Amino acid sequence: DHRDLHSFPTRRSSDLATNAQRRAQTRGCLINAARHLFAEQGYADTSTETILSGAGVTRGAMYHHFRNKAELFEAVCDLLSQEAMAAIEKAVDGQRGSLATLKAGSLAWVDFMARDNVRRILVVEAPSVLGQQRWRALDERYSFPLLREGIREAMAEGALHFAGSAEGLAELLNGAMNALVLNDPRGENLPQRRQDLLALFDRFC
């Protein structure tokens, strides 16, 4: 066949871009709908049908992006973790000194996690829905490295004093910060929780 190969119709780049945009929009609608429903009703009480209705997409469209509700839940957790990172980075911008930066970032994390629509998903339900290993992997992918690095810098500068490693102190403080959020389900004692966290840091100064 000696026909010019270039004479065959090809998909234009604009068509590919439009399809990619549609896929991204569908994925975004699913995550956004699931995020609000998980926060309001909890994971167990949120049905797939309710998510589909809220997102305005078909079941087939959902399964094109997510294998099941649990995978969609993990995508919601991932998005919230990214937003937590953004909140931390905004809080530490312009801070002077490793300890001030560490404190500002940690307070920003607590403030973000204490929000009703975040706390229920990331702090209360994620450990059981995702399992401890995947939940910790999510933490390790985002906020925990910032905490660990902040502690390492503060220890190197002599602003924090701890006989163990920066990794060990980061684990201790991370657990304490999770407990502060978990033990204040309605966020009624957030100002006191923030003071408690600052006092905890001061114990290592």
Side-chain angles (χ1 to χ4, degrees):
D1 191 346
H2 298 291
R3 287 178 296 174
D4 185 356
L5 292 177
H6 295 289
S7 66
F8 285 94
T10 58
R11 297 182 70 180
R12 294 179 300 176
S13 58
S14 59
D15 292 334
L16 295 175
T18 301
N19 289 336
Q21 290 170 355
R22 281 201 213 95
R23 288 193 294 270
Q25 184 178 19
T26 298
R27 179 182 173 86
C29 287
L30 283 163
I31 292 175
N32 188 55
R35 170 183 184 164
H36 292 291
L37 288 166
F38 290 147
E40 292 175 1
Q41 303 177 9
Y43 177 80
D45 291 333
T46 299
S47 67
T48 300
E49 288 72 20
T50 306
I51 296 172
L52 295 175
S53 176
V57 303
T58 64
R59 183 177 291 272
M62 174 179 167
Y63 288 134
H64 178 75
H65 293 278
F66 306 103
R67 290 177 297 177
N68 48 42
K69 187 175 73 168
E71 192 170 273
L72 175 55
F73 180 85
E74 187 166 7
V76 171
C77 290
D78 194 277
L79 176 62
L80 291 176
S81 297
Q82 292 181 51
E83 291 179 3
M85 285 275 289
I88 292 169
E89 289 169 355
K90 181 178 179 181
V92 303
D93 185 40
Q95 292 290 331
R96 301 182 63 180
S98 58
L99 185 58
T101 300
L102 179 60
K103 286 182 176 181
S106 299
L107 288 174
W109 184 93
V110 169
D111 290 344
F112 184 84
M113 293 296 169
R115 299 178 188 177
D116 288 340
N117 62 340
V118 176
R119 178 187 169 278
R120 183 171 192 174
I121 295 172
L122 272 182
V123 182
V124 177
E125 296 202 323
S128 58
V129 175
L130 300 180
Q132 286 290 328
Q133 184 175 358
R134 290 169 72 184
W135 180 60
R136 288 179 62 85
L138 191 67
D139 194 27
E140 180 63 40
R141 192 180 311 141
Y142 293 109
S143 58
F144 186 73
L146 292 180
L147 177 63
R148 182 174 54 214
E149 185 58 28
I151 289 172
R152 184 177 290 119
E153 290 180 4
M155 288 177 65
E157 293 178 10
L160 283 182
H161 303 279
F162 183 64
S165 65
E167 178 81 23
L169 183 54
E171 290 280 0
L172 290 172
L173 291 174
N174 191 47
M177 288 160 63
N178 274 293
L180 287 177
V181 176
L182 190 61
N183 293 330
D184 188 14
R186 297 183 181 177
E188 297 173 343
N189 300 313
L190 186 57
Q192 182 59 52
R193 298 300 184 189
R194 296 173 101 257
Q195 291 302 314
D196 290 342
L197 179 58
L198 292 176
L200 183 59
F201 276 112
D202 289 341
R203 292 293 298 271
F204 297 99
C205 292

